[in-house]
Amino acid sequence: SRGLGDVYKRQELLAPRESRLDLKKAEISDADLELLFASLPARAAEYAHAPPLESVDLSLNALTSIGCLASANLAKAHTLLLSHNSLGAPAARELAAAMPSLPGLRRLSLSGNKLGDDGAVAISSALCHVPELRLLELKGCAIGDDGGAAFAAALEGGARAAPGGDVTLADNAMGDRALAAIAAALKVAPATKSLQSLELQGNSFTVGGGMLKKTPPAVKAIEEACKRGKAVSYTHLRAH
């Protein structure tokens, strides 16, 4: 870490004027982040006209813990970018615990973190707390069938539980079971009417063999679900 003093200086937090906190590739540590968020309430009180944070970019650091988000004043935040850190399932559970305090969140990026199935389950179970979400990025997060099934359950959970807009689950480790669950959810869940795109390329579903090059069963199920429900404008599917 370069130290919190450098972070303050870079962000002009001593006299905050902007609603955006950009700490992308800032070499901050977990301790830096905790100190920074702990200081924000006092600084907001000192500068009465400081706008609330609406966008937070913490991508491309080496963060392993984000528990401090739960106590940060991010009620007005619409964007939270956490991609390409060192976050695992414990951090995903921390984020899930913080999501009730992020009711206006519209964009959440966690791509490039090894969340695994447990992390995906935690995030999926907390989507009901961010009904305004319109972009969810979970690309390359080591999500397997259990995590994919949890996402499918969120789709079936009603309008408040299902993400809208664009969702990417590309480059994970989901197989036919997860994709079949997602297909089933797309058929029956009215909440998916707000879903615009669903990216699933680079997962481990079964590829049809032989000269006929048959469509993989999971792909066929997703495509059929999209035709029937007309919930997803396009999907990107490609096996490894």
Side-chain angles (χ1 to χ4, degrees):
S1 171
R2 297 176 304 171
L4 192 58
D6 292 332
V7 174
Y8 278 151
K9 193 176 296 182
R10 181 170 182 263
Q11 288 303 309
E12 297 184 322
L13 289 177
L14 293 174
R17 302 183 185 89
E18 297 186 1
S19 60
R20 182 173 61 92
L21 180 65
D22 183 3
L23 291 172
K24 180 179 180 180
K25 207 173 182 179
E27 301 178 20
I28 61 171
S29 68
D30 295 346
D32 288 336
L33 190 64
E34 290 178 11
L35 287 170
L36 187 146
F37 279 122
S39 73
L40 290 181
R43 297 189 183 283
E46 183 178 355
Y47 299 96
H49 299 293
L53 285 176
E54 296 179 353
S55 177
V56 178
D57 188 351
L58 299 170
S59 56
L60 291 166
N61 286 290
L63 299 173
T64 64
S65 174
I66 49 176
C68 56
L69 290 177
S71 58
N73 183 14
L74 297 177
K76 300 295 185 181
H78 56 70
T79 299
L80 180 58
L81 307 181
L82 295 163
S83 59
H84 301 288
N85 277 281
S86 299
L87 306 177
R93 288 190 285 269
E94 291 173 340
L95 176 58
M99 284 168 76
S101 64
L102 298 165
L105 195 64
R106 296 179 63 84
R107 180 183 179 187
L108 174 60
S109 178
L110 289 159
S111 294
N113 290 291
K114 300 304 180 184
L115 305 180
D117 281 331
D118 289 346
V121 169
I123 296 300
S124 296
S125 67
L127 291 175
C128 59
H129 298 297
V130 286
E132 301 300 317
L133 195 64
R134 293 297 176 267
L135 177 58
L136 176 61
E137 298 175 323
L138 292 167
K139 180 178 181 180
C141 290
I143 299 170
D145 279 343
D146 289 344
F151 175 75
L155 288 178
E156 292 180 343
R160 285 186 59 83
D166 304 312
V167 177
T168 178
L169 289 163
D171 297 333
N172 282 292
M174 294 185 295
D176 288 357
R177 179 166 66 87
L179 296 181
I182 292 171
L186 291 175
K187 286 189 210 178
V188 302
T192 58
K193 290 179 181 178
S194 63
L195 196 62
Q196 297 299 310
S197 68
L198 177 60
E199 296 190 1
L200 295 166
Q201 73 267 26
N203 280 282
S204 302
F205 48 85
T206 304
V207 177
M211 296 295 291
L212 295 179
K213 300 289 185 182
K214 293 181 180 179
T215 302
V219 176
K220 188 173 182 179
I222 292 283
E223 290 177 344
E224 186 62 24
C226 293
K227 288 177 184 178
R228 289 182 182 178
K230 297 182 179 178
V232 183
S233 58
Y234 63 90
T235 56
H236 297 301
L237 289 158
R238 186 183 68 246
H240 284 303

